[in-house]
């Protein structure tokens, strides 16, 4: 198909970031933005803000919403696909059962498709990234929270109610820190960007890690502060990152034994830390999974990096756009 035939938009709504890409029909990225974002402001404020950003992106490329054939949207929570809603998402307070897809469709007057962000990450890496032609692929998004997209036998596995892949709430330590879901010691409290930042703050409050203290701005320690202290040789910061990687590795080893994937792709903001984080993940998966399940397993960092989810949203938007084009063309052919 002629790439110039149309345009689609992919939107990645993160807990603390928003990424939007505009592509042609060959998924060539024409323009993109990534900005800080706060999903906890609730659906109405957030969706208005996203609308402003989508318009701004289109204006910069000389387009309007009328030029867009479909928009794919990813959110960091369990999605009920038929309804276009999320259900009880721990890191999206106020969003449960809000009609996200309908609301955006009315606002934009364009077809909209809503999916879970990690599932879109799996789809993005499968279509355009490191996982091309892989039939059994796990995509793990490690950012503010942690989620997984499960591509099993060439299809995204959603589960009975759309909540499959909520690996962030697998229990690692039942006496561990309190999680946003109400349980204790979930993976998200022990390996996410939020968990790494919190451990950094605790360390400085206890009088350790002078480098980290020096790095921090107004005592507000972020995951980037911990990462850069670790990269500069701060032993305590390195230990935080290593421990987080090990905890993620334990959860993934369990998943490897359960699903027997060909490939694990690790994406999300925390992977910017690099091998300091990824090496203990790889090592722990190797140590803790069965040889039969892990013998041909490859473990990769996401090639699309921050774009994995938004490009997955583009995959969905393109399939919606093509489906509609075929529907429009077929009656004409029958005449
Ligand atoms: Zn939890």
């Amino acid at each position: 198909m002629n790439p110039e035939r149309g345009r689609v938009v992919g939107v990645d709504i993160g807990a603390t970031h928003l990424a939007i890409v505009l592509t042609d029909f060959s998924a060539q990225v024409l323009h993109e933005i990534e900005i800080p974002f706060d999903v906890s402001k609730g659906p109405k404020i957030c969706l208005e803000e996203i609308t402003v950003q989508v318009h701004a992106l289109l204006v910069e490329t000389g387009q309007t919403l009328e030029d867009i054939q479909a928009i794919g949207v990813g959110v960091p929570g369990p999605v009920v696909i038929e309804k276009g809603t999320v259900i009880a998402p721990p890191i999206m307070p106020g969003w449960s059962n809000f009609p996200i897809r309908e609301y955006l469709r009315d606002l934009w007057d364009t077809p909209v498709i809503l999916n879970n962000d990690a599932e879109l990450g799996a789809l993005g890496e499968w279509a355009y990234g490191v996982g091309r032609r892989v039939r059994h692929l796990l995509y793990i998004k490690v950012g503010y929270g942690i989620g997984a997209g499960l591509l099993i036998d060439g299809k995204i596995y959603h589960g009975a109610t759309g909540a499959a892949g909520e690996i962030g709430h697998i229990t690692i330590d039942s006496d561990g820190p309190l999680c946003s879901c109400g349980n204790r010691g979930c993976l998200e409290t022990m390996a996410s960007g939020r968990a790494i930042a919190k451990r950094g703050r605790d360390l400085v409050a206890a009088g350790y890690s002078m480098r980290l203290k020096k790095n921090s701005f107004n005592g507000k320690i972020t995951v980037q502060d911990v990462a850069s202290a670790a990269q500069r040789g701060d032993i305590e910061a390195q230990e935080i990152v290593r421990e987080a990687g090990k905890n993620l590795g334990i959860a993934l080893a369990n998943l490897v034994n359960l699903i027997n994937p060909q490939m694990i792709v690790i994406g999300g903001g925390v992977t910017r830390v690099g091998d300091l984080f990824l090496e203990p993940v790889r090592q722990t998966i190797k140590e803790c999974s069965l040889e039969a399940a892990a013998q041909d397993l490859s473990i990769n960092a996401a090639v699309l990096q921050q774009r994995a989810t938004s490009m997955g949203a583009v995959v969905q938007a393109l399939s919606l756009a093509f489906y509609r084009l075929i529907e429009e063309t077929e009656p004409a052919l029958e005449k």
Side-chain angles (χ1 to χ4, degrees), residues 196 209 211-212 215 223-242 273 276-277:
I196 292 171
S209 187
R211 190 187 290 272
L212 189 52
N215 274 5
V223 60
Q224 285 84 3
D225 296 328
V226 179
S228 78
Q231 279 153 352
R232 288 172 194 193
D234 184 286
I235 304 286
E236 280 116 353
Q238 285 179 352
E239 186 52 32
I240 293 176
V241 171
R242 198 177 304 122
V273 180
L276 269 176
F277 178 70

Side-chain angles (χ1 to χ4, degrees), residues 80-290:
V80 185
I81 292 183
E82 311 79 60
K83 293 187 185 166
T85 59
V86 285
I87 182 155
I91 58 172
M92 297 175 74
W95 289 73
S96 192
N97 294 316
F98 185 87
I100 303 171
R101 189 183 57 206
E102 300 302 316
Y103 191 84
L104 288 178
R105 210 151 50 184
D106 290 348
L107 215 54
W108 297 342
D109 197 22
T110 304
V112 174
I113 183 162
L114 185 77
N115 290 92
N116 168 268
D117 62 348
E119 288 179 356
L120 290 179
L123 213 51
E125 287 291 336
W126 170 80
Y128 309 118
V130 70
R132 288 180 208 206
R133 297 201 199 126
V134 172
R135 290 190 65 76
H136 306 277
L137 178 150
L138 306 183
Y139 175 84
I140 314 299
K141 186 173 187 180
V142 191
Y144 182 82
I146 301 179
L150 317 176
L151 187 86
I152 298 176
D153 213 4
K155 279 193 197 134
I156 293 287
Y157 180 75
H158 303 290
T161 57
E166 286 296 326
I167 189 181
H169 302 282
I170 280 181
T171 306
I172 299 292
D173 175 3
S174 58
D175 296 321
L178 189 64
C179 181
S180 57
C181 74
N183 288 332
R184 285 196 171 273
C186 291
L187 178 64
E188 217 164 89
T189 68
M190 306 188 72
S192 64
R194 193 174 20 154
I196 292 171
K198 182 178 182 308
R199 285 208 53 199
R201 283 194 292 274
D202 291 349
L203 204 67
V204 169
Y208 293 101
S209 187
M210 292 323 289
R211 190 187 290 272
L212 189 52
K213 190 174 181 184
K214 231 165 52 189
N215 274 5
S216 68
F217 179 68
N218 283 344
K220 273 180 108 182
I221 289 168
T222 64
V223 60
Q224 285 84 3
D225 296 328
V226 179
S228 78
Q231 279 153 352
R232 288 172 194 193
D234 184 286
I235 304 286
E236 280 116 353
Q238 285 179 352
E239 186 52 32
I240 293 176
V241 171
R242 198 177 304 122
E243 196 60 31
K246 188 180 163 196
N247 287 325
L248 180 62
I250 291 171
L252 289 180
N254 288 326
L255 224 54
V256 166
N257 287 348
L258 190 68
I259 291 172
N260 184 206
Q262 282 165 274
M263 183 182 282
I264 292 179
V265 183
I266 305 172
V270 175
T271 52
R272 284 178 180 157
V273 180
D275 278 343
L276 269 176
F277 178 70
L278 293 175
E279 219 21 67
V281 177
R282 289 194 185 100
Q283 192 62 33
T284 310
I285 293 174
K286 211 185 275 176
E287 283 168 13
C288 298
S289 56
L290 277 183

